[in-house]
Amino acid sequence: MAEAFPGLRERLAAMGAAGRPRRAPDDARHGPAFEVRRTIRPAHEVFGPGGAHPDDEGALFLDTETTGLAGGAGTTPFLIGLALVGRDTVTVEQYFLRRLAGEPAMLAALRGRLVAADTLVTFNGRRFDWPILEARSVISRVPLRPPPDHTDLIGPARRLWHRPLGTHRLTAIERVALGIARTDDVDSALIPSLYLAYLRTGDASGLHAVFAHNAQDVLCLVHLRRRVRRWVEDGEDPPPPVDWEGLGVLRQRAGLGKAALAALRRALANEDDPAARWRVAQRIARLLRRDGRWDDLLELWVREAPGRGVWRARAMVEAARVWARRFRQPERAVAALEDAQAVVEWLLATGAPEAEALAGEVRAHLARYRSLLRRAPPGQTPARSRQPTPSPGASGGLAAPPGC
Amino acid sequence: MTLEQILDRLRTDPALAPHLTAWHEIPARAGSYAPLPASLDPRLAAALRGRGIERLYSHQAQAWEAVRAGHHVVVVTPTASGKTLCYNLPVLDTLLAEPSARALYLFPTKALSMDQVDELLGLVRATDAEIRAYTYDGDTPGDARRAIRSAGHVVVTNPDMLHAAILPHHTKWLRLFEHLRYIVIDELHTYRGLFGSHMANVVRRLRRICRFYGSAPQVICASATIGNPRELAERLLEEPVSLVDENGAPSGPRVFAFYNPPVVNRELGIRRDALTEAGRLAAEFIRNRIPLIAFARSRRAAELLTTGFRRAAEAAHVPAGRVAGYRAGYLPSERRAIEEGLRSGQILAVAATNALELGIDIGRLRAALLVGYPGTIASTWQQAGRAGRTQDLAAAILVATSDPLDQYIVRHPEYFFGRPPEAGLVNPDNLYVLTSHVRCAAFELPFDDNERFGPSTLPEILAYLQDQGIVHREADRWHYVADAYPAQEVSLRSASTENVVIIDTTEPAPRVVGEVDLASAPGLVHEDAIYLHLGQQYHVDRLAWEERKAYVHRVDVDYYTTAQIATDIRVLAEFARGNGAPPPAHGEVVVTYRPTIYKKLTLDRHENIGWGPIHLPESTLHTTAYWLTVPDLAVPRDELQGALVALSHALAHVASLFLMCDPRDLGRAYEVHSPHTDRPTVYLYDTCPGGVGFAERLYRLHPDVLAAARELIAACPCAGGCPSCVGPVLEVGATGKARALQILDARLVPGAVG
C-alpha cells in the first residue's frame, strides 16, 4: 500500500513545515465554464449518395469523451459530442467543460436536446456513455430523461464485423465499411491525460485533436447508422469483408426473411469452419421451416450442409427427420439414417469424442422410424405423402461411402 | 456417564488431574426480562408471539429504548443471547410504519449475511408485510442487482462490497441512500487492526454519501464481548454511541478448565501433542453421547480431529454420520447441512476451525474443547460460549499447545479469568489507509474546501493527490480526474494487495499451489528455499521478483531452510517518552529488510548442513514502533545480543496477547547500540505500513507487558530457552534466557537502572 503513494510522508512533512497548501490560483480563464462548439456540414458530405433517412431527423447522435474508462460516479464527461440531422445539413454540437464547475450547466443543455429527440443513437452508449451521464446527472442534481428509444450501434457492429476484422472498434469499421481513413487521429487512451493537462495548464492546444476525434466519431455514427439500415433493411450488400451470418441475423430480426436467407446462404457458401457451417445451416433451416419450404430444407441437409464426419452424420439425421415428418416417407428416413450410422461406426472406430452421443441419437431415431415402417410398410403409405423434388439425386448422395 | 460424572472423573483421575491448571465454575444465572414494548407495531408483536416470544430479554428492551431515543447504539452480549432481535425489532418496526424507509446491514462474511437474511425474512413473513430483504454480494446475479437497488428494503452486504461496488456507484443506489434510516454493523469486534481502520474510513465515506442524499441514518452495532465496545464504536462512527451491555439472557452453570499436556522433553520444552490429548478427551464425550464441539487453530488440525472423532464414534457404536468436520473450504451446502444437524441434535460432535466461531446459529452444545489458545480472550470466550444452554451444566476445556501464548495463559489462569477481554484497536487516521480512502471518496463526490473527512490533514492529502494527478482543485472544490477506479486498488483486508504466486512445475502442466504476501516472500520463497505447503516440500527453482512469481518443484528432502534477513530500524520521530530511567517510547520508524543468506538445517536435529546467498532487493517499511531501552549489561557483545533476541521474542508474544492481534502483525528488531537511544534497544513495530495503533497501545501498557513477559520466562520449565518462552537455545545462546530475565527484573524494580 505504501508503494501506491510514493513520497506521501515526505511530501506531507514538507507541506506541514511550509504551512497549509496555498490556495491554487483560480484559473485565469474567464468566460462561461462550459462552451458550445457548433459546426454545420452539408448532408451529402456526411451521407454520401442516398442522403439521410427520414427518421434520422428525430435522432440525437451522442458520443462522449471522459476523464476515464472505468465508469462509476467519478468518471466525468468533459466533452459531449452531438449530431443533429436536418433536411440538408448535419449539425455537430460539442459541449466542452472549460472548467469542471460547468458540468451542471452542460448537463442542463444536454437535457434540452434529449427532450426534443425521439431516439438516442450511440456506440456502446448503453454500457458506457449513458450510465456515466446518468450518474453525473444525479451528482449534479440535473435530472436527465433518456429519449423513448436508444439505438446502440455496437450490437450490429459486433455482428457485422467482429469475426472478419477481429475487432468491432468504431475506427476499424469506419475504415473498412465506410471507406474513411482518419489521419492524425488521437489515441483514445491518451484523451483523459490530455484533458488533465489542459486543466492544469489552461492550454487547450492539446485538445484540438480531441475535438476533431469526437466530431469524427459522432459523424461516423450518423453515417454508420444510415449504412447499416441500407444493408439490413434495404437489402443492399455491404462491401467485404463482412460477416454474412451476422447480416442474416440482423435482417431476420428486422423481419426481412428473404433478405436474411440470402445473406445466410452466402455465409454458408463462404464458410469453411464446420462448426460455423453447422450453426449457419441451423439458422437457414429455422427460416425454411417457418415458411414451410420443405423441399428447400431437404436440399439444405442433403446437398448444401453436409461436411465430413460428425457433421455429415448430423446432416443425415436432420434429413431423415424431414423425410419422415414432412414427406411421410419413413423408408427414405431410414435410408438416410443408415447412411449416418455408417459414418458413426467409422467415427467410433477412430475414437472421435462426439461419436458415442451421436451413435445413441442415430440408434434412437432409427428404431423409431423403423417401427413406423413396420406399421405402414411402403406402398401403403398414406395418400397425402408427397414426393419431394430433389429425391432422385438425393438417394445417390445418401449412398456415398462414409467419411467422404 | 453424565457430563457431571465425566467432569468428576477428570478432576480425580490421577493421570489427568495434575495437568489441570484451572477449574473455573460459573454459577447459573437467571434471565432478566421486560415486556414487549408498548410502542411496538402490533403486527410485529403478533409475529413475535407467534414464534413463542412473549417478552424480551432486558438488553433487547434497552436496545429498543436507546434506538427509539435516536441514539447510535452498540449492543454487547455473548453468543446466542438474542442479539439480532436488538436491531431487527427497531428496523422492522420502522419499515412497517414507513414502507419507503431503507436499512443497510453489514456483516464481515458472506455466510453470516445469508444466515441473517433467513432469520429476518422469517420474522417478516410472520408479519405478513411487503418487506424485502436481499443479500448483495459477489454472487448476486446481474438482474437481481437491479431489483435490489430499487426495491430492497433491507440490503445485506459486507464492507468489501460496500467499498468496491456500492459506494463508487452510489448514484444507482439513490433509493437506498435517500431513505436510509438504519445502518446495522454486526460483529463489530471483527473490525479492529488494519481491517477496522479501513472500515472506519468506509463508514466515513458511507455517511458522506448519505449526507449528499439528505439522509442521516442511525447506526446500530452489535458485538461479541470485547474490552472497549463503546470506544471502538465511537472511533468507527466518530459520534457518541450508547452502550447496551447488560445481558438479560439466562444461562445454566458452566465449568471452564485449562489442561496443559505433560512435558515429555524437559530440555527442549516439548509437551505431549495437544491434538492427541484433545482427541482422547473428545472420545470420552462421544462415548457418553455428550454433544460436543472442538475448535482447532488450523484447517489441518480440524481435519485430524475429525479423523479422531470418526474413530471414537466407531468404537462407541455411534453412526459415522453423527460426527463431522467444519472449516473454510467446505461447500456452502455442506456447511448448511452441518449447521442444521447441530441445531437438530442429529450431529453429536463437530471439529471446526474458527469458521464456526462467529454468529452462525448452531444451537447450543454441552461441551467445547479448545485445542490451542484461540489467540485472544475474546475469541476464547466466544468459542467456549458455544457450549452452554439455558439450564443444563456445560463445560469448556482449553487444551494448551507449546506456543508461548498458550503456555502463558494456562500457567496464569488468573490473567485470563481476571481480565476483561482485549480492546479492539483501530487507527482510522493511518496516513496510508486514510489517503486511500480520500482518493476513493473523491471519486464518489468532489470534496469541498470546508469539508471534513477524518483528521485535519485533509487539505494536505488532497494537495498531495493533486500532485499525483488524481484530483484537480478548481475554485473551492477538489474533483477526481484520474483514469482509474480507485476502490479496485484498495483491499480492506490487507495492507498490500501484492502477493507472490507459487507455481509448481513438477508436472508438465504448471499448477498454482499458493501465494505468499510480498513482505514474507524474500524469507520464504527465495531461490533454493524449501517451501512447505500442506505438508509437502517444494524446492524453489526461480523467484521472478518483478513478475511476483516463484517457480517450484516437489521434493522430498531431510532438511529445511531458514533465511537470515537483516532488519535495520531507524527512528524518524519520537511521539512520546515515558517516565522512568531509561524510558519506554513510541514513534515513527522506517524498517529496512535486507535478505542476506539462507541456512539449510536438518529436520531431525536442526543441524546446519550448508548455506547460500539470497540475491533480492532490500525493502522498506514506514510504520510506528514501541521501543524499550535496556540497561547496559556488563557482558560480552554476543551474550547481550542473545539476551536482546530472547527479550524481543518473549515481548512480541505477550504483546500480541494484549493487543488482540496475530503475532505476525508485530515485527521485532533490536540494536545492541541504538544511535537514537544511545543504548541497547528492543523494538516492536507494526507490520502494517503506517501502523494501526499497536505502538501507542504498547507504550501505554508498558508495565503490564513487561510483567507478563517476565512471568512467561520465569514460569517456563525449560533450561536455556525454548519456543514457548524466549525462543530456542540455538538462537538466544546459552545465557539468553537468564540475561533476558535479568534485564526484566532490573527494569521492574523502580530506580534499579540508570
Side-chain angles (χ1 to χ4, degrees):
Chain A
M1 185 173 63
E3 303 81 60
F5 300 110
L8 173 60
R9 268 186 188 271
E10 294 74 3
R11 201 75 60 85
L12 292 194
M15 285 174 189
R20 282 296 160 81
R22 275 182 303 122
R23 200 181 158 86
D26 263 356
D27 40 25
R29 300 181 299 278
H30 294 292
F34 102 97
E35 70 182 17
V36 181
R37 309 161 66 91
R38 192 174 281 117
T39 48
I40 299 176
R41 302 276 301 272
H44 67 86
E45 267 184 39
V46 177
F47 290 107
H53 187 280
D55 283 359
D56 286 341
E57 286 186 34
L60 183 67
F61 296 84
L62 176 144
D63 186 56
T64 60
E65 307 303 329
T66 58
T67 55
L69 299 176
T75 304
T76 307
F78 67 85
L79 180 63
I80 301 177
L82 302 174
L84 298 136
V85 178
R87 265 166 56 101
D88 306 310
T89 56
V90 176
T91 305
V92 174
E93 268 185 9
Q94 289 177 304
Y95 299 166
F96 173 59
L97 273 190
R98 295 182 70 237
R99 292 196 295 279
L100 292 166
E103 196 178 359
M106 177 178 79
L107 294 174
L110 175 65
R111 176 164 59 187
R113 289 296 182 204
L114 287 168
V115 167
D118 51 36
T119 306
L120 183 66
V121 184
T122 61
F123 195 84
N124 201 25
R126 276 187 197 284
R127 295 195 54 177
F128 188 74
D129 307 70
W130 185 254
I132 286 176
L133 290 170
E134 213 169 30
R136 300 307 295 187
S137 86
V138 173
I139 291 172
S140 296
R141 306 194 200 270
V142 177
L144 294 181
R145 189 175 303 157
D149 270 329
H150 183 164
T151 302
D152 189 339
L153 287 172
I154 202 167
R158 193 184 293 120
R159 290 232 174 247
L160 290 174
W161 292 292
H162 192 87
R163 284 216 305 153
L165 300 185
T167 172
H168 51 277
R169 285 173 53 115
L170 191 57
T171 43
I173 291 166
E174 187 183 45
R175 190 171 57 244
V176 169
L178 308 181
I180 299 169
R182 294 191 193 190
T183 50
D184 302 331
D185 191 30
V186 62
D187 178 357
S188 51
L190 295 179
I191 292 177
S193 60
L194 290 171
Y195 184 63
L196 181 58
Y198 157 75
L199 284 179
R200 297 178 130 197
T201 61
D203 174 7
S205 57
L207 286 176
H208 293 305
V210 178
F211 295 138
H213 167 88
N214 175 256
Q216 182 67 30
D217 273 1
V218 75
L219 283 173
C220 179
L221 282 187
V222 176
H223 191 175
L224 183 64
R225 183 189 194 218
R226 183 70 196 101
R227 294 296 275 271
V228 167
R229 274 191 145 160
R230 289 215 201 114
W231 299 326
V232 173
E233 292 169 21
D234 306 344
E236 281 181 25
D237 280 347
V242 72
D243 184 340
W244 293 101
E245 181 188 359
L247 182 62
V249 172
L250 292 174
R251 284 176 174 174
Q252 187 187 337
R253 289 201 184 151
L256 304 164
K258 203 173 151 205
L261 206 53
L264 290 172
R265 283 194 188 283
R266 206 152 164 186
L268 191 61
N270 293 335
E271 186 60 70
D272 294 326
D273 173 35
R277 284 180 60 80
W278 184 254
R279 196 179 57 230
V280 174
Q282 295 278 6
R283 292 192 192 280
I284 296 174
R286 224 171 293 144
L287 282 173
L288 293 176
R289 261 185 235 123
R290 200 191 59 194
D291 294 344
R293 294 166 61 179
W294 309 122
D295 293 349
D296 290 343
L297 186 59
L298 198 57
E299 178 77 17
L300 172 73
W301 294 128
V302 172
R303 290 202 173 280
E304 295 163 30
R308 298 163 62 90
V310 176
W311 309 104
R312 178 178 171 83
R314 286 193 179 152
M316 289 307 122
V317 171
E318 293 294 335
R321 279 206 182 116
V322 183
W323 279 116
R325 291 192 194 160
R326 306 299 167 195
F327 295 106
R328 306 283 165 186
Q329 297 193 29
E331 71 282 6
R332 305 300 286 269
V334 167
L337 286 169
E338 281 168 350
D339 183 66
Q341 199 171 32
V343 177
V344 166
E345 268 159 22
W346 174 75
L347 287 172
L348 282 172
T350 61
E354 316 91 326
E356 291 283 352
L358 196 55
E361 199 185 336
V362 171
R363 258 198 308 278
H365 278 92
L366 209 46
R368 192 152 85 241
Y369 297 145
R370 276 184 178 143
S371 79
L372 273 179
L373 256 185
R374 277 193 296 280
R375 258 180 283 155
Q380 287 176 23
T381 30
R384 58 187 166 68
S385 105
R386 296 181 306 150
Q387 285 300 315
T389 37
S391 56
S395 49
L398 291 177
C404 65
Chain B
M1 280 195 289
T2 62
L3 179 59
E4 285 82 351
Q5 288 166 323
I6 295 178
L7 292 179
D8 270 349
R9 229 207 71 195
L10 195 58
R11 291 190 81 177
T12 49
D13 186 335
L16 297 171
H19 308 301
L20 288 173
T21 62
W23 190 271
H24 189 76
E25 290 181 1
I26 303 163
R29 226 168 46 99
S32 155
Y33 303 91
L36 293 180
S39 54
L40 191 66
D41 190 296
R43 286 168 288 180
L44 198 49
L48 289 174
R49 290 200 182 93
R51 316 185 108 212
I53 301 170
E54 299 283 346
R55 54 188 180 167
L56 297 181
Y57 293 137
S58 55
H59 61 274
Q60 294 169 332
Q62 275 172 23
W64 167 269
E65 291 304 329
V67 174
R68 283 288 106 158
H71 303 302
H72 299 309
V73 178
V74 57
V75 181
V76 186
T77 50
T79 319
S81 56
K83 212 156 31 194
T84 50
L85 214 50
C86 292
Y87 50 77
N88 280 342
L89 273 194
V91 168
L92 287 181
D93 190 73
T94 301
L95 293 179
L96 284 169
E98 298 167 47
S100 67
R102 296 286 184 266
L104 178 69
Y105 281 28
L106 294 170
F107 293 92
T109 65
K110 245 186 235 178
L112 276 172
S113 21
M114 301 273 285
D115 230 38
Q116 297 308 320
V117 169
D118 288 351
E119 184 171 336
L120 184 67
L121 286 178
L123 198 53
V124 166
R125 266 192 297 276
T127 62
D128 234 10
E130 273 285 307
I131 293 175
R132 284 174 295 267
Y134 299 105
T135 40
Y136 188 86
D137 59 32
D139 299 339
T140 309
D143 39 347
R145 291 183 175 210
R146 271 186 292 283
I148 298 171
R149 286 201 281 257
S150 55
H153 291 95
V154 181
V155 175
V156 181
T157 187
N158 53 59
D160 311 81
M161 280 302 278
L162 180 63
H163 153 69
I166 297 179
L167 291 176
H169 287 282
H170 61 87
T171 56
K172 295 182 183 170
W173 294 85
L174 187 92
R175 294 285 291 277
L176 175 71
F177 290 122
E178 276 180 346
H179 304 287
L180 192 59
R181 293 286 303 276
Y182 295 104
I183 299 168
V184 169
I185 303 178
D186 201 348
E187 312 290 348
L188 180 78
H189 59 280
T190 57
Y191 301 114
R192 52 177 203 261
L194 182 63
F195 186 32
S197 308
H198 276 294
M199 180 63 174
N201 282 285
V202 171
V203 170
R204 284 173 177 163
R205 283 162 56 198
L206 171 61
R207 298 181 75 204
R208 182 168 179 257
I209 295 295
C210 289
R211 278 197 295 278
F212 176 77
Y213 290 101
S215 62
Q218 228 175 312
V219 186
I220 310 173
C221 305
S223 172
T225 314
I226 50 169
N228 60 341
R230 194 203 318 243
E231 183 198 23
L232 181 60
E234 290 183 344
R235 289 225 68 184
L236 284 172
L237 306 184
E238 299 178 316
E239 274 183 34
V241 177
S242 293
L243 175 66
V244 173
D245 65 350
E246 280 165 40
N247 179 20
S251 66
R254 289 196 287 161
V255 168
F256 200 160
F258 288 177
Y259 178 83
N260 199 8
V263 175
V264 290
N265 180 332
R266 213 181 114 77
E267 270 307 297
L268 295 173
I270 296 172
R271 290 175 179 274
R272 215 183 276 160
D273 179 44
L275 271 176
T276 319
E277 296 290 282
R280 234 183 293 175
L281 290 169
E284 193 67 27
F285 290 108
I286 292 173
R287 189 176 322 127
N288 291 290
R289 312 290 195 272
I290 308 281
L292 166 77
I293 181 164
F295 285 103
R297 279 197 304 224
S298 69
R299 295 183 186 192
R300 198 176 136 264
E303 288 298 322
L304 289 173
L305 273 178
T306 313
T307 314
F309 280 17
R310 295 234 164 81
R311 235 174 276 131
E314 200 183 329
H317 307 291
V318 170
R322 293 199 64 196
V323 298
Y326 185 108
R327 60 169 175 83
Y330 281 20
L331 295 176
S333 57
E334 292 171 336
R335 288 201 193 196
R336 289 280 146 141
I338 296 167
E339 289 159 22
E340 178 50 40
L342 286 166
R343 277 196 292 270
S344 67
Q346 173 57 36
I347 290 178
L348 179 65
V350 65
T353 59
N354 62 5
L356 247 182
E357 176 190 336
L358 292 163
I360 296 165
D361 178 18
I362 52 165
R364 302 178 98 180
L365 306 166
R366 293 206 63 193
L369 270 179
L370 280 54
V371 189
Y373 180 60
T376 64
I377 293 176
S379 9
T380 307
W381 281 115
Q382 271 184 63
Q383 293 187 356
R386 283 302 195 178
R389 304 191 178 188
T390 44
Q391 293 185 335
D392 310 329
L393 173 70
I397 303 172
L398 167 67
V399 182
T401 70
S402 22
D403 280 4
L405 269 184
D406 285 44
Q407 289 304 312
Y408 182 81
I409 290 288
V410 292
R411 284 188 233 143
H412 301 89
E414 71 290 349
Y415 171 86
F416 177 83
F417 292 107
R419 207 173 168 80
E422 301 83 349
L425 293 181
V426 292
N427 178 11
D429 300 339
N430 171 313
L431 195 51
Y432 296 105
V433 173
L434 177 64
T435 305
S436 296
H437 288 277
V438 168
R439 194 168 140 208
C440 294
F443 180 87
E444 287 148 13
L445 286 175
F447 270 104
D448 282 335
D449 256 359
N450 55 6
E451 202 174 329
R452 294 210 53 184
F453 192 90
S456 55
T457 46
L458 181 63
E460 282 93 340
I461 291 175
L462 287 167
Y464 168 82
L465 292 176
Q466 161 131 326
D467 283 355
Q468 301 288 308
I470 291 164
V471 299
H472 176 73
R473 179 176 155 130
E474 188 186 277
D476 52 1
R477 300 192 104 186
W478 304 79
H479 300 260
Y480 186 88
V481 289
D483 178 13
Y485 187 84
Q488 219 162 34
E489 293 162 24
V490 180
S491 158
L492 303 188
R493 315 237 177 193
S494 74
S496 161
T497 49
E498 281 202 282
N499 282 330
V500 171
V501 179
I502 298 159
I503 300 163
D504 178 11
T505 57
T506 314
E507 309 290 331
R511 192 173 62 93
V512 172
V513 287
E515 289 183 326
V516 293
D517 62 279
L518 199 60
S520 324
L524 290 176
V525 292
H526 59 82
E527 284 173 13
D528 291 324
I530 298 296
Y531 175 72
L532 274 173
H533 184 78
L534 290 177
Q536 171 67 51
Q537 294 172 314
Y538 295 88
H539 177 267
V540 180
D541 305 316
R542 191 161 72 84
L543 174 60
W545 183 251
E546 293 304 322
E547 294 154 42
R548 311 288 190 235
K549 282 176 185 157
Y551 297 91
V552 303
H553 73 271
R554 288 200 288 277
V555 288
D556 183 10
V557 293
D558 60 357
Y559 68 91
Y560 62 99
T561 54
T562 164
Q564 308 264 307
I565 298 192
T567 309
D568 291 327
I569 191 161
R570 187 160 54 91
V571 176
L572 297 179
E574 191 172 280
F575 295 155
R577 185 191 291 241
N579 297 321
H586 74 102
E588 197 175 319
V589 297
V590 59
V591 184
T592 309
Y593 301 98
R594 193 164 31 82
T596 53
I597 60 160
Y598 68 90
K599 287 193 238 171
K600 292 180 182 180
L601 302 174
T602 57
L603 281 175
D604 49 354
R605 306 182 59 180
H606 312 288
E607 277 168 337
N608 193 336
I609 54 164
W611 66 278
I614 305 176
H615 300 290
L616 281 174
E618 62 177 39
S619 55
T620 58
L621 169 71
H622 235 122
T623 187
T624 50
Y626 145 86
W627 60 87
L628 164 69
T629 317
V630 171
D632 253 324
L633 301 175
V635 295
R637 191 186 158 93
D638 59 332
E639 263 191 46
L640 177 60
Q641 194 163 326
L644 295 179
V645 173
L647 184 59
S648 62
H649 187 277
L651 278 177
H653 278 92
V654 291
S656 64
L657 182 82
F658 286 92
L659 294 173
M660 200 167 174
C661 72
D662 192 295
R664 280 167 305 186
D665 295 341
L666 276 183
R668 49 197 159 99
Y670 65 87
E671 285 176 317
V672 174
H673 181 94
S674 158
H676 181 77
T677 64
D678 204 28
R679 283 176 186 276
T681 304
V682 172
Y683 299 84
L684 296 183
Y685 59 87
D686 208 319
T687 54
C688 160
V692 293
F694 294 157
E696 189 189 347
R697 189 75 170 196
L698 282 176
Y699 171 77
R700 277 196 269 149
L701 293 170
H702 175 73
D704 292 350
V705 174
L706 288 196
R710 194 206 166 276
E711 281 298 297
L712 174 72
I713 302 174
C716 188
C718 73
C722 73
S724 300
C725 57
V726 295
V729 183
L730 218 59
E731 285 172 23
V732 301
T735 59
K737 183 177 177 182
R739 294 281 181 228
L741 210 50
Q742 192 187 335
I743 294 172
L744 286 168
D745 282 336
R747 286 206 50 101
L748 289 170
V749 184
V753 271

